[in-house]
Amino acid sequence: MEIVLNYRNTMNLPLDLSPLTPEALDGMSAEDVGKVKVYAGKRMFELSRFFKVEERSSGEDQPLKLTIMGDLRNARRIGFRMKTGEIRVEGNGGIYLGEGMKGGVITVEGDVDSWAGSGMRGGSIAINGSAGDFLGASYRGAGEGMSGGVIQVKGSVGCEGGGWMKGGLIHVKGSAGPFLGVHMQGGSILVEGDCASRMGAEMTGGRIAILGAVPNILPSFTLDSLRTHADLVTMKVEGAFYMFTGDNNEQGQGRIYVAKDKNPHFTWFEKYLGRWE
């Protein structure tokens, strides 16, 4: 079965949609879903106050699919801790999308705000637009970033993507902001576009590959070698890369791969290296 929510956009208050996971709505009729209470600001209202709720058949024995239509930039915690099923957002998503997610699939046709995939444990998030700051990262002081699952972004991402990340994969088709992978401990980040400075600051593990240009590498990283591929945890990316290791300030074992052809300002390093691996 598929539940379709069409946003009426009748109230300019932040909506908390954390109760709307496929497992929580499984077995409910459209009428019952409309009676689910959600926070709008500090007060609770029935969902039908903000959404037109419809029910569609999607075949027997299929996991519940939840489709949410409209500009949902003021809606937080879509897919909060979801374990199974599918959520599709036909528009933009707000802050904390997929926070603590353990399984299932979330697809967003537009952009999402900050903290998407924060504390994610499994499942997958596909964002066809761009993402804000702290993608897959930890809350301040928690030290628990994404530890599993996959986040794919067709656009670009803001600052501190993958902060405190422990596992899983973040794949960005566009560019990435500063401090990518700060405090990273495991997992992989692949950025096909350019990346701002200070990537991998204080990382102790994990692997980052940048296929575009980078302005510099932190001085606490060591150029280890030239490589014919970037060896990420769950995938191999072919191409010529400079491989840096660090962060040495943390006795870290992290790796940063930077595409050779897009970063000629690193060429002078090569006289100190004699091998391709």
Side-chain angles (χ1 to χ4, degrees):
M1 187 176 76
E2 179 181 3
I3 294 290
V4 180
L5 306 180
N6 201 325
Y7 187 40
R8 303 180 196 275
N9 199 13
T10 56
M11 183 177 287
N12 190 27
L13 287 173
L15 289 173
D16 183 352
L17 299 186
S18 58
L20 306 183
T21 59
E23 59 266 28
L25 304 182
D26 192 27
M28 288 188 180
S29 65
E31 183 178 359
D32 292 336
V33 172
K35 294 178 180 177
V36 172
K37 292 193 173 181
V38 297
Y39 273 101
K42 295 181 178 180
R43 297 176 59 193
M44 296 193 82
F45 300 88
E46 289 189 351
L47 188 68
S48 58
R49 182 180 178 116
F50 311 108
F51 294 90
K52 179 182 178 183
V53 184
E54 296 178 297
E55 179 181 329
R56 297 175 184 168
S57 175
S58 59
E60 297 291 332
D61 301 324
Q62 294 295 316
L64 179 72
K65 178 180 178 181
L66 176 62
T67 299
I68 311 176
M69 305 171 69
D71 188 349
L72 296 156
R73 282 176 286 193
N74 68 333
R76 61 180 61 194
R77 293 197 166 96
I78 295 174
F80 178 67
R81 295 181 180 174
M82 70 179 280
K83 299 176 182 175
T84 187
E86 179 181 356
I87 295 178
R88 181 177 182 83
V89 179
E90 296 188 359
N92 297 313
I95 198 169
Y96 306 127
L97 181 135
E99 178 188 359
M101 183 177 176
K102 298 177 180 177
V105 178
I106 299 177
T107 305
V108 181
E109 289 302 319
D111 301 330
V112 300
D113 212 327
S114 299
W115 304 105
S118 174
M120 183 176 177
R121 302 287 182 265
S124 65
I125 299 174
I127 300 164
N128 289 326
S130 294
D133 299 330
F134 315 116
L135 180 74
S138 165
Y139 285 142
R140 297 293 188 197
E144 294 286 339
M146 173 181 176
S147 62
V150 177
I151 302 177
Q152 294 180 307
V153 181
K154 284 190 176 178
S156 297
V157 301
C159 71
E160 297 192 26
W164 294 96
M165 183 175 177
K166 292 184 175 179
L169 170 67
I170 294 176
H171 183 176
V172 180
K173 295 277 189 179
S175 60
F179 287 99
L180 181 77
V182 60
H183 297 293
M184 187 174 177
Q185 300 167 41
S188 301
I189 301 175
L190 171 61
V191 176
E192 296 192 21
D194 300 337
C195 185
S197 63
R198 299 185 180 278
M199 74 198 75
E202 299 189 355
M203 72 187 295
T204 57
R207 299 178 183 188
I208 299 172
I210 309 296
L211 306 190
V214 301
N216 50 51
I217 294 289
L218 286 170
S220 50
F221 279 76
T222 301
L223 177 60
D224 178 89
S225 55
L226 287 162
R227 298 288 178 124
T228 57
H229 61 271
D231 194 13
L232 302 183
V233 174
T234 56
M235 62 191 299
K236 182 183 290 187
V237 182
E238 299 295 336
F241 291 93
Y242 297 105
M243 190 187 87
F244 297 85
T245 58
D247 185 332
N248 295 323
N249 287 337
E250 301 292 327
Q251 291 77 53
Q253 301 297 314
R255 293 184 181 183
I256 297 177
Y257 297 91
V258 177
K260 182 177 183 295
D261 62 336
K262 298 293 179 63
N263 294 279
H265 49 297
F266 293 144
T267 304
W268 68 273
F269 279 124
E270 295 182 24
K271 61 185 177 183
Y272 300 107
L273 299 171
R275 66 183 190 277
W276 286 72
E277 298 180 3

